[in-house]
Amino acid sequence: MKSLEELKAIREKMQGQVGFRDEGDDGIRVVVGMATCGIAAGARPVLTTLSDKVQEKGLDKVKVVQTGCIGLCKYEPIVEVIEPGKEKVTYVHMTPDKAIEIIDKHLVRGQVVSEYTLDMK
Amino acid sequence: MFRSHVLVCGGTGCTSSGSAQIIESLEKEIKKHCLDKEVCVVKTGCHGLCALGPIVIVYPEGAFYSMVSVDDVPEIVAEHLVKGRIVTRLLYQETVKEDGFTPIVDTDFYRKQHRVALRNCGVINPENIEEYIGTRGYEALGKVLKEMTPDDVIQLILDSGLRGRGGAGFPTGLKWKFASGNRGNVQKYVCCNADEGDPGAFMDRSVLEGDPHVVLEAMTIAGYAIGASQGYIYVRAEYPIAVERLNIAIGQAREYGLLGKNIFDSGFDFDIELRLGAGAFVCGEETALMTSIEGNRGEPRPRPPFPAVKGLFESPTILNNVETWANIPQIILNGPEWFASMGTEKSKGTKVFALGGKINNTGLVEIPMGTTLRTVIEEIGGGIPNGKKFKAAQTGGPSGGCIPAEHFDVEIDYDNLIAIGSMMGSGGLIVMDEDNCMVDIAKFFLEFTVDESCGKCTPCRIGTKRMWEILDKITKGKGTLEDLDKLEELAYYIKDNALCGLGQTAPNPVLSTLRYFRDEYVAHVVDKKCPAGVCKDLLSFKIDPEKCKGCTKCAKNCPVGAISGEKKEAHEIDTSKCIKCGVCYDNCKFDAIYKV
Ligand SMILES: Cc1cc2nc3c(=O)[nH]c(=O)nc-3n(C[C@H](O)[C@H](O)[C@H](O)COP(=O)(O)O)c2cc1C
């Protein structure tokens, strides 16, 4: 390595990975239901897609976490977006593609993708 | 990319309680559940809460599991990693809330801490240089080499007010300035003191184990500032994990071009080598350390000349402590004002302490200078076990002194501690409660210096031994009041005449206990009693016939058959046979045995 640019490139590549180990709980939480029902309905690829994309885009205020059964098994895979001071948004019948849409629209631009939310079903 | 990181502490404390096996088992279980593409296991340095190790933290949730055993691993993987259910029974108790858990940073142990030197410990994988770079590692070095002159660097360190963390508290910038003349024309050296000989201290070990690159980066910066091209880290061989990680770090830094020739294409060359010490306390003293690096027997030499003028191999040399180094890159990145905004007027920044002795949260803490001893012990340290009363805290180890309860609210900084007869030292903080005998403590530390004296100068070699003999006499009930005067006279004589810091500070534990606990000395001498019930020659064990139920446990346990009595009747101790081992006292279920 001979230049600051090279150092910066490594830093940017690694920042997401190390920043991932952040203690704060003041940001947005994206919660994926990962009980047996969720996993059976395909929640795992949804979870990994969400987690990967959030890190790729460097959304360091967003945490993608899993939870147990949310209690609406027939709507699985379910993803909840919980933002401090705002009402919880529940997305249902998620797929990896829909998840990417939610990241781009909801998490980046702040627009709820209402066609996938629970109250639309 | 991983959706979850499982951090396992790989510091010495957690390693000795089995964290390596936990890592192995985690990796196996994760594979079994086909999660190895989603979840990674990271071995980190020390988190500080050593009393609760092994520690495992799962992100992104930040669930802090303590006292984890290999048997718990399948549950963590199947419940938490597969199904997203926190394993509440393993959570650090302080973080458990009714509806989940609080982040670890909100617990009493962490809330008042401020991590500068320890910022990466327990957060990054110390064996991966890229993780260090990910937390702005080597950015300060880049900035220094590309944007600053050597004099700018020295001025910046001067402005920050940083003082050495190895004990004496000498201003770091000033030390560098003294060694900065004649750049480019003479061979100079940069050394790191990682000898850490203070019993009970493990601050430096934790930095080296948890964040080795920070020391390499800082030493390289100093090399540029004073015009040196070679560095040495003097680390004790008894720190095998630290040595291994330093070796890995040096190898990676060379591979990335961050050590070696022409760093960042600036024309500046710098390299670092390790030198292993055999663990002699005196080798932490700067001139003895350099003598040892030169390949000679580790003995001090007179100062002046100071190392900045004539140090290692007779060349201008700077030596700084590990923790001092760990502050340097942060000061350069965040500016001297940032650093000087923490702490007190003459002691800037933070200080790492290793808490030990009679304290609940044995471990490593980093606090802003000026934090009170009370906060450190009661809040961060979680207080004293078993509801016992605080008696004193020893700082500065065998060179330092005790801080008694009357100074519990002292704001910890260099000058305040000196003023009350102790010193900051390198950061060992040993807590004593009402069950500790202060004469015995003084004797303990003196025994250490007697052992560790290199023998080169008479005051230290013979004087400390004479002091120890007097203390031994006192603890055996054979001391006189004149002995106390003699002890003091000897103490001042040794302080004034010993060749190096070891002898000059060796009498401090005696002087400070005499200052604050003279009544305990007098009780040993005049009443022939040890008020804390520690000195065996001055106490005997008795059985209270009212409380004794005749369970016979004491009689069965007594190794010398000194206890007799019929079943279900009060027992008795034959004091002529008793060796005062205390087994009966420790094991009586009815509190029937007492010391007099
Ligand atoms: C007997 C004795 C032992 C010492 N042991 C250590 C030690 O283990 N680690 C350390 O950093 N400094 C130790 N010192 C202090 C060093 O001599 C020196 O002051 C220090 O390493 C300078 O670094 P600093 O300015 O960054 O504190 C010791 C001093 C004496 C007199």
Side-chain angles (χ1 to χ4, degrees):
Chain A
M1 176 181 339
K2 280 290 164 225
S3 68
L4 295 184
E5 286 67 42
E6 288 165 87
L7 184 73
K8 194 164 159 223
I10 301 179
R11 183 169 69 242
E12 279 169 0
K13 180 182 86 180
M14 296 304 290
Q15 228 153 16
Q17 176 164 337
V18 185
F20 186 81
R21 300 165 203 163
D22 173 38
E23 290 290 345
D25 59 353
D26 50 345
I28 304 177
R29 285 160 50 84
V30 178
V31 183
V32 185
M34 289 286 287
T36 308
C37 48
I39 294 173
R44 186 162 300 283
V46 172
L47 173 70
T48 50
T49 306
L50 281 167
S51 177
D52 286 354
K53 293 288 167 207
V54 161
Q55 292 179 62
E56 257 169 45
K57 291 184 185 289
L59 303 175
D60 48 11
K61 281 277 156 224
V62 179
K63 271 190 183 179
V64 180
V65 299
Q66 33 171 359
T67 186
C69 182
I70 297 176
L72 299 159
C73 307
K74 69 170 179 169
Y75 293 110
E76 294 281 2
I78 297 178
V79 172
E80 297 176 327
V81 177
I82 304 168
E83 204 169 340
K86 290 195 184 158
E87 206 156 316
K88 175 170 80 183
V89 179
T90 306
Y91 292 109
V92 299
H93 295 312
M94 279 290 108
T95 64
D97 288 339
K98 291 182 187 170
I100 292 174
E101 223 180 306
I102 283 166
I103 290 181
D104 289 336
K105 293 192 178 147
H106 189 159
L107 300 180
V108 176
R109 281 180 259 150
Q111 301 158 350
V112 175
V113 190
S114 39
E115 53 181 306
Y116 303 146
T117 58
L118 178 63
D119 20 296
M120 291 307 290
K121 301 286 148 180
Chain B
M1 219 162 273
F2 297 98
R3 68 168 170 86
S4 182
H5 297 188
V6 183
L7 274 60
V8 184
C9 178
T12 293
C14 288
T15 302
S16 63
S17 49
S19 65
Q21 289 85 314
I22 291 175
I23 293 177
E24 206 177 294
S25 165
L26 271 167
E27 282 169 346
K28 216 163 68 202
E29 287 293 316
I30 286 171
K31 214 166 195 140
K32 201 165 99 190
H33 287 91
C34 301
L35 293 178
D36 48 324
K37 296 253 156 29
E38 296 176 27
V39 180
C40 63
V41 179
V42 185
K43 182 168 76 175
T44 69
C46 180
H47 297 273
L49 254 181
C50 308
L52 296 177
I55 282 164
V56 175
I57 310 182
V58 183
Y59 290 102
E61 295 89 347
F64 193 102
Y65 295 128
S66 61
M67 293 175 136
V68 176
S69 79
V70 174
D71 300 338
D72 299 324
V73 170
E75 187 177 347
I76 293 177
V77 175
E79 282 295 301
H80 188 151
L81 297 176
V82 177
K83 299 210 174 132
R85 287 197 287 246
I86 305 290
V87 187
T88 308
R89 72 172 180 93
L90 293 174
L91 284 176
Y92 169 37
Q93 204 49 42
E94 291 270 316
T95 65
V96 178
K97 266 196 326 197
E98 238 167 70
D99 56 340
F101 61 94
T102 46
I104 184 72
V105 286
D106 289 343
T107 59
D108 280 343
F109 182 71
Y110 285 101
R111 198 181 311 119
K112 296 228 164 134
Q113 291 198 48
H114 192 83
R115 300 194 141 208
V116 178
L118 298 178
R119 74 182 180 112
N120 279 334
C121 289
V123 179
I124 64 166
N125 175 354
E127 296 180 7
N128 181 348
I129 190 173
E130 296 206 347
E131 291 215 351
Y132 178 65
I133 294 173
T135 62
R136 301 186 73 189
Y138 289 107
E139 199 180 318
L141 176 63
K143 179 172 167 185
V144 161
L145 294 183
K146 292 287 193 189
E147 297 168 16
M148 296 172 78
T149 67
D151 284 327
D152 287 345
V153 178
I154 292 177
Q155 191 58 46
L156 192 150
I157 300 300
L158 274 170
D159 291 344
S160 74
L162 174 66
R163 294 170 65 175
R165 302 299 195 234
F170 192 80
T172 305
L174 207 53
K175 190 184 274 187
W176 295 15
K177 194 170 178 172
F178 288 152
S180 67
N182 224 353
R183 283 187 197 103
N185 301 319
V186 285
Q187 175 74 51
K188 296 180 187 178
Y189 296 101
V190 173
C191 296
C192 169
N193 191 340
D195 193 55
E196 196 160 54
D198 176 359
F202 51 94
M203 302 77 52
D204 297 344
R205 187 189 74 205
S206 299
V207 172
L208 296 174
E209 287 176 355
D211 198 14
H213 283 284
V214 75
V215 175
L216 308 186
E217 182 182 6
M219 289 175 71
T220 312
I221 290 169
Y224 174 73
I226 68 159
S229 59
Q230 179 66 44
Y232 288 99
I233 301 177
Y234 189 84
V235 53
R236 53 176 51 224
E238 288 136 315
Y239 283 178
I241 300 178
V243 170
E244 186 192 329
R245 298 204 181 138
L246 277 171
N247 273 322
I248 293 172
I250 290 173
Q252 290 179 345
R254 285 184 186 146
E255 196 183 307
Y256 279 67
L258 296 164
L259 277 180
K261 297 266 178 245
N262 195 17
I263 300 168
F264 281 123
D265 216 9
S266 63
F268 172 66
D269 308 333
F270 194 76
D271 205 0
I272 295 175
E273 285 179 32
L274 294 191
R275 285 291 178 272
L276 302 195
F281 182 55
V282 75
C283 286
E285 194 280 332
E286 56 183 18
T287 61
L289 183 147
M290 290 174 199
T291 311
S292 175
I293 294 182
E294 289 163 2
N296 300 313
R297 185 189 166 112
E299 285 181 345
R301 43 193 193 220
R303 301 178 308 173
F306 286 96
V309 180
K310 220 176 188 190
L312 187 58
F313 302 115
E314 311 242 305
S315 300
T317 304
I318 54 172
L319 169 74
N320 280 116
N321 164 262
V322 171
E323 188 187 333
T324 314
W325 290 122
N327 281 290
I328 300 285
Q330 289 300 299
I331 294 175
I332 291 183
L333 287 179
N334 300 326
E337 305 78 21
W338 163 80
F339 189 77
S341 71
M342 296 178 285
T344 61
E345 196 197 334
K346 289 198 181 134
S347 304
K348 301 301 186 189
T350 60
K351 180 76 196 82
V352 182
F353 284 97
L355 302 184
K358 307 283 180 62
I359 188 145
N360 279 315
N361 296 336
T362 304
L364 203 66
V365 305
E366 180 169 358
I367 49 161
M369 296 272 191
T371 305
T372 65
L373 183 63
R374 182 186 295 279
T375 304
V376 173
I377 291 176
E378 287 189 345
E379 285 181 51
I380 301 173
I384 293 169
N386 307 322
K388 298 273 181 176
K389 238 174 66 205
F390 171 81
K391 187 176 203 172
Q394 177 86 12
T395 58
S399 308
C402 65
I403 308 173
E406 63 195 272
H407 290 304
F408 207 28
D409 287 303
V410 64
E411 294 180 350
I412 299 173
D413 75 4
Y414 291 102
D415 310 289
N416 287 345
L417 293 192
I418 295 278
I420 59 173
S422 183
M423 64 184 247
M424 182 80 89
S426 59
L429 200 158
I430 298 171
V431 182
M432 289 162 285
D433 70 7
E434 50 194 300
D435 291 343
N436 287 104
C437 165
M438 300 313 284
V439 185
D440 183 63
I441 294 282
K443 189 172 123 184
F444 166 82
F445 281 115
L446 214 62
E447 190 167 310
F448 179 84
T449 31
V450 168
D451 258 0
E452 294 290 341
S453 171
C454 75
K456 184 166 175 173
C457 74
T458 319
C460 178
R461 181 183 70 243
I462 298 176
T464 56
K465 177 84 178 164
R466 291 290 98 86
M467 281 182 78
W468 181 86
E469 286 163 0
I470 297 176
L471 285 172
D472 190 51
K473 224 172 111 188
I474 295 173
T475 56
K476 296 209 156 95
K478 298 189 183 128
T480 62
L481 285 174
E482 292 78 67
D483 281 334
L484 298 188
D485 298 333
K486 214 187 282 170
L487 205 52
E488 249 168 325
E489 191 189 329
L490 254 175
Y492 287 112
Y493 183 82
I494 296 168
K495 271 174 89 72
D496 289 345
N497 293 290
L499 171 62
C500 83
L502 194 153
Q504 288 157 13
T505 58
N508 287 351
V510 175
L511 288 173
S512 88
T513 47
L514 267 172
R515 171 170 169 186
Y516 292 114
F517 297 97
R518 199 179 185 91
D519 54 334
E520 274 191 44
Y521 280 87
V522 172
H524 284 73
V525 170
V526 178
D527 312 334
K528 310 290 174 206
K529 286 261 176 291
C530 173
V534 172
C535 299
K536 282 188 181 154
D537 292 288
L538 301 182
L539 68 101
S540 46
F541 289 91
K542 289 248 160 68
I543 297 178
D544 181 346
E546 300 286 300
K547 288 188 183 166
C548 179
K549 298 271 184 280
C551 75
T552 75
K553 189 172 183 188
C554 56
K556 280 192 196 123
N557 281 332
C558 179
V560 290
I563 304 181
S564 58
E566 293 298 313
K567 220 172 174 174
K568 299 217 167 122
E569 276 173 34
H571 280 48
E572 221 175 330
I573 301 176
D574 178 350
T575 42
S576 66
K577 283 192 193 158
C578 174
I579 54 163
K580 298 165 191 174
C581 67
V583 166
C584 56
Y585 176 82
D586 290 339
N587 290 301
C588 178
K589 275 193 277 195
F590 307 101
D591 261 341
I593 300 173
Y594 59 99
K595 298 178 192 171
V596 279

